[in-house]
Amino acid sequence: TGCSTGIGRALAVEYAARGHSVFATARRPEVLADIVTGPNVIALTLNVNSADSIAAAIEKVIAMAGRIDILVNNAGYGQMGPVLDVTAEQVRAQFETNIVGAIEMMKAVAPHMIAAKRGRIVNIGSISGVLTTPFAGIYCASKAALHSISEAARMELAPFGIDVVIVQ
């Protein structure tokens, strides 16, 4: 998820270069046109804040590939500013994308991985989830929450052959 820029984009390009089938996702998949360089990279529309969008993307991946081996939960953004200046709406939006979106993606792929008795979920956290910085408190809190959720999911999904990894 979140392949339009940064880490998500770089991972999609690298996985493709290593010969893996990659379903690169973005809210606006046209921004991925330059990385769709061969048959092993497919651009899909995905908004992790929309249950319908998640369901449609997972359905397409399963229809095309038959399985999901790895989910890289990278979609997110950083709400910056002093904690006292951030509105409740901004806090909700930050957590909706960085936490709820990641959880919903894990819930969408887990049944397919459980059926296969294997899989890996990689949640892109941040050192900011462990080392809080001023003027980024809301972002840091969302990443700290992602770290905790990833640890719980790691323990809960291990018996099903699913690894959950958090990247800081």
Side-chain angles (χ1 to χ4, degrees):
T1 68
C3 298
S4 54
T5 62
I7 293 169
R9 183 181 194 85
L11 287 172
V13 168
E14 184 62 27
Y15 276 124
R18 293 178 184 222
H20 298 284
S21 295
V22 174
F23 291 87
T25 66
R27 285 174 294 172
R28 295 178 299 112
E30 64 273 11
V31 302
L32 303 171
D34 63 316
I35 68 168
V36 179
T37 56
N40 64 329
V41 181
I42 296 161
L44 294 178
T45 301
L46 175 63
N47 179 345
V48 299
N49 295 325
S50 164
D52 291 340
S53 181
I54 292 170
I58 297 302
E59 185 178 311
K60 285 179 186 172
V61 172
I62 294 300
M64 295 175 79
R67 67 182 201 267
I68 298 174
D69 297 323
I70 300 173
L71 164 66
V72 178
N73 251 333
N74 176 67
Y77 75 96
Q79 176 60 56
M80 299 302 154
V83 170
L84 298 181
D85 288 348
V86 178
T87 67
E89 183 176 290
Q90 291 171 314
V91 173
R92 287 185 192 98
Q94 178 74 94
F95 276 78
E96 187 69 26
T97 298
N98 290 9
I99 299 304
V100 177
I103 293 168
E104 291 303 305
M105 287 302 302
M106 289 191 294
K107 287 167 52 178
V109 303
H112 302 283
M113 293 178 174
I114 289 169
K117 297 184 172 103
R118 65 186 184 97
R120 177 163 290 139
I121 297 170
V122 180
N123 291 325
I124 304 298
S126 172
I127 191 65
S128 295
V130 209
L131 178 65
T132 303
T133 57
F135 308 107
I138 304 306
Y139 172 76
C140 294
S142 76
K143 290 303 184 173
L146 184 61
H147 294 177
S148 292
I149 288 163
S150 298
E151 274 298 297
R154 180 185 61 76
M155 293 180 273
E156 294 166 1
L157 294 173
F160 301 102
I162 302 170
D163 298 321
V164 179
V165 178
I166 185 80
V167 176
Q168 298 176 359

